[in-house]
Structure formats: structure tokens, C-alpha cells
Amino acid sequence: MQNRGSYLDALGVEQWVSRGGAAVADPLLATPVAPQAPAAPAPPAAVRASQATPVTPAASGEPAWLTLQAQVAACQRCALHAGRLNTVFGVGNPGAQWMVIGEAPGAEEDKQGEPFVGRAGQLLNAMLLAIGLPREQVFIANILKCRPPGNRDPLPQEVAECLPYLERQIALIKPRILLAVGRIAAQNLLATDTPIGKLRGQLHRFGAAQTPLVVTYHPAYLLRSPGEKRKAWDDLKFARRVHRELGQAG
Ligand code: URA
């Protein structure tokens, strides 16, 4: 199994060795993050779910969650349904404390029906692990459930039709924090056209529940611009601090 260091390498985060001998990438990393540390082998899914949701039952077995899944699978609200192979509902723990929200499925996601399965997905997994979060522990979804042709940006009308599904997912999961990855996710969730560079590094709130929301760069952008990975690492540390200090009780 890869250790935290290899995930930090993927993020381009330099490491140095402390006098005690442990590799340290940042003073914050020296702070134990025991409940979410990736060092131990993952427990069975049922155990994972109950650990992640001490008070709220996982939404996955609830009628409301199953109804939502069925609605998305059958959706024809916009023209994207005509070109899709699969809807991409989202993946992960429906009782998660962390929800990661990207833009829209790409070609591989459309084929597999799962978000972030390509190269950008591998980097996203590395980013999450760098703050102690295995992919299975979070819930990952997109602004759109269907792939736009040629991976073009989502159209406003597509977002308007699809966003209620995501809002319903957020309402059922009740995450402690939302991590918006990329401009499209951030601007649509926050209903703004402010550039992503200005949305980073701030605590935002989303929806009626005022869920804390943090913005970072999209992993596909980081693959094209590796020099920006340091900023993404700062964002992740900020999000981890927000989760610890400001998350809703439970
Ligand atoms: N990019 C996204 O924003 N979402 C995916 O699911 C895949 C790539």
C-alpha cells in the first residue's frame, strides 16, 4: 500500500524529515489525524459507513435515496440524456462527512457510470489521501450527471435542470463540508462568476443548511499546471481545518 508520502509526491508537495525521523510535508501534517488516517487497512464497508456516520444512518438504504437514484437514472430533463451511455449519480459513502463536487462526467466516467475514474480521478484520490481521506470515505458527485459532448462546459440550462439532484443528494447526505473542485463547480454552487483564484482560501456556505464550502482547483487543471499544486495543497489543509473546527455537529 502506498504511504502518505507517495500521495504528497503526487501532489508535488516537498517533504523533509523531522528530527524524530518521520517525513513531514507541513507543520499541519505533524498533527495527528487519527480517525481518517489511511495507514490501517480499510475495514469492511458496513463498518466504514457506521464509523463515518455515528448518528445519522447512511442514506443509501433510505427510500428517498433509492428514489433519487431511480430519478437520475431515468432523467430526460435536458438534451444530454440523448448522448449518454450512463448517468453518473455519484460514488462513495452516502453517510460521508466530506462531499467532493466536480464539473461533469468525461468519456471514461460516461462509460463506467462513476465520477472521476480517469487520470484526474487518480490525482483527486491522491489529494484526498494527502489529508487522510480514502476515496471510499467521501461522496463524490458532479454538477451534471450526464456528459456534455466533447467535454464542453455545462450550459446554464443543463445546470438549472440538474442542480436539484445534487441539492437533494446534499440534503440527504448532510455532509459537514463540501469541497468544490474547479471553476465550474465553485461558480455554479456559489451562483457567482467570480474567478476561482478569488474564491479559493475563503470559507463559503451552501444552501439552506449553510454547509461549509471550500474551493480548490480541478485535478485536471493541476495535471496541466503542476506549478499550482502547492496552492491546492494549501486549500486542502484549509478544508481540513474547516472540517475540524466548523463542521456541523455529528
Ligand atoms: N471531471 C469532473 O469534473 N468530473 C468527473 O467525474 C470527471 C472529470
Side-chain angles (χ1 to χ4, degrees):
M1 184 181 186
Q2 286 179 294
N3 59 27
R4 183 190 294 270
S6 27
Y7 297 109
L8 292 170
D9 285 346
L11 257 183
V13 176
E14 283 172 31
Q15 298 180 71
W16 64 90
V17 174
S18 71
R19 290 199 183 153
V24 176
D26 181 277
L28 265 179
L29 266 189
T31 311
V33 283
Q36 293 156 348
V47 176
R48 274 203 308 274
S50 66
Q51 282 173 346
T53 53
V55 285
T56 321
S60 61
E62 289 180 4
W65 187 257
L66 300 175
T67 300
L68 183 60
Q69 277 181 320
Q71 285 170 343
V72 168
C75 183
Q76 299 193 353
R77 286 188 193 173
C78 79
L80 294 182
H81 81 272
R84 74 182 174 219
L85 296 173
N86 287 292
T87 54
V88 179
F89 182 73
V91 73
N93 178 0
Q97 295 184 1
W98 288 73
M99 248 184 108
V100 177
I101 301 170
E103 177 177 334
E108 202 50 41
E109 288 76 19
D110 180 46
K111 263 188 220 148
Q112 296 190 33
E114 180 171 333
F116 285 101
V117 291
R119 274 186 73 219
Q122 284 171 19
L123 180 54
L124 178 64
N125 295 348
M127 292 164 69
L128 294 172
L129 265 174
I131 51 167
L133 292 169
R135 178 180 169 98
E136 314 76 58
Q137 196 170 309
V138 307
F139 194 87
I140 304 174
N142 286 309
I143 295 289
L144 293 190
K145 307 291 186 215
C146 295
R147 181 192 180 207
N151 297 338
R152 65 155 167 73
D153 287 355
L155 302 176
Q157 185 252 345
E158 292 161 355
V159 174
E161 298 292 358
C162 212
L163 206 53
Y165 292 132
L166 182 63
E167 288 168 344
R168 186 83 179 117
Q169 286 177 305
I170 294 169
L172 291 171
I173 292 172
K174 301 184 188 68
R176 285 174 66 172
I177 185 167
L178 300 170
L179 182 66
V181 298
R183 176 182 68 85
I184 299 284
Q187 290 183 340
N188 281 296
L189 288 171
L190 297 171
T192 180
D193 53 11
T194 303
I196 186 167
K198 292 216 168 82
L199 296 173
R200 294 181 47 247
Q202 293 181 46
L203 173 63
H204 306 274
R205 300 274 178 173
F206 177 80
Q210 292 287 282
T211 309
L213 184 153
V214 170
V215 172
T216 192
Y217 290 119
H218 195 286
Y221 169 74
L222 296 175
L223 288 171
R224 294 192 301 273
S225 310
E228 300 286 72
K229 285 179 176 177
R230 165 59 63 181
K231 291 187 197 161
W233 175 233
D234 290 341
D235 298 336
L236 292 169
K237 287 185 294 184
F238 176 56
R240 184 172 61 186
R241 209 158 48 231
V242 168
H243 171 261
R244 280 189 190 140
E245 293 172 10
L246 288 182
Q248 297 155 359

